[in-house]
Amino acid sequence: MKPRAAWPILAKKAKEKCEEAQAEVVKSRERVTHLEQSRERMEMLYLDYVHRSKEAEKKLHSMAETLNYRGFMQQVKALVLRVDADLAKANQDLDGKKLMLLAAEKKRIQMETLMEQDLKQVRAFHQKREQREMDAAGVMLYNLKS
């Protein structure tokens, strides 16, 4: 009896799926991090323009300048909201990728366990056969002596 050739192949494929899922999780995490950094930069830009706007209000300025500041701040705020939406979507995507990774890990462990069980059965079969042969040889030797 030989170990089945399918189990190592299936275990290898399951391991490859795990590696792919892990790469996807890393990629999703990087996207989330990038979006968080973008949001931080935009928030800092918004706060900077709020500060500049307040400084400009203290000085003489035209109505056009005030409108420009406010228009720009509205655009930045809209971008922050857009990044928030993208960030929420990226976090959902990351959660989905993590679930896929868990499923792939579960499958990999299952395949490795099945492969190990198959090897254990093969070893047990060979041990039993060897024991039977040793017993038969012992009986034959005993019969030859008698």
Side-chain angles (χ1 to χ4, degrees), residues 10-143:
L10 291 173
K12 181 182 175 191
K13 286 196 178 277
K15 186 178 179 182
E16 289 171 357
K17 291 261 186 197
C18 277
E19 290 168 356
E20 289 172 10
Q22 181 67 36
E24 290 291 324
V25 166
V26 168
K27 190 175 169 184
S28 289
R29 263 197 197 115
E30 288 172 354
R31 173 118 172 95
V32 167
T33 302
H34 175 73
L35 287 170
E36 287 171 344
Q37 290 171 347
S38 292
R39 187 188 190 291
E40 234 177 81
R41 283 192 307 272
M42 285 185 215
E43 199 63 41
M44 294 295 283
L45 183 65
Y46 179 78
L47 292 175
D48 181 46
Y49 265 81
V50 166
H51 178 70
R52 287 184 187 186
S53 174
K54 287 181 181 177
E55 288 294 320
E57 286 176 6
K58 293 176 185 175
K59 301 174 186 173
L60 287 176
H61 62 282
S62 67
M63 188 63 147
E65 288 178 357
T66 303
L67 291 175
N68 285 341
Y69 274 114
R70 287 185 183 167
F72 185 75
M73 287 188 306
Q74 285 177 343
Q75 288 175 349
V76 171
K77 203 59 167 165
L79 283 174
V80 168
L81 293 175
R82 173 65 194 259
V83 170
D84 283 343
D86 289 348
L87 188 57
K89 192 184 299 183
N91 278 320
Q92 284 178 340
D93 185 50
L94 177 59
D95 291 341
K97 302 283 182 181
K98 284 180 182 178
L99 289 175
M100 287 174 51
L101 176 60
L102 286 175
E105 283 288 335
K106 185 178 176 183
K107 192 70 167 176
R108 180 189 60 81
I109 290 169
Q110 179 186 19
M111 290 300 134
E112 287 176 356
T113 302
L114 288 171
M115 182 177 72
E116 289 170 7
Q117 286 176 352
D118 187 46
L119 289 173
K120 186 177 176 183
Q121 287 175 350
V122 169
R123 278 190 226 109
F125 172 80
H126 287 294
Q127 285 176 343
K128 280 184 181 178
R129 188 176 74 189
E130 189 176 311
Q131 187 62 46
R132 278 194 307 257
E133 290 172 358
M134 292 293 283
D135 290 346
V139 169
M140 191 167 58
L141 278 175
Y142 177 77
N143 287 338

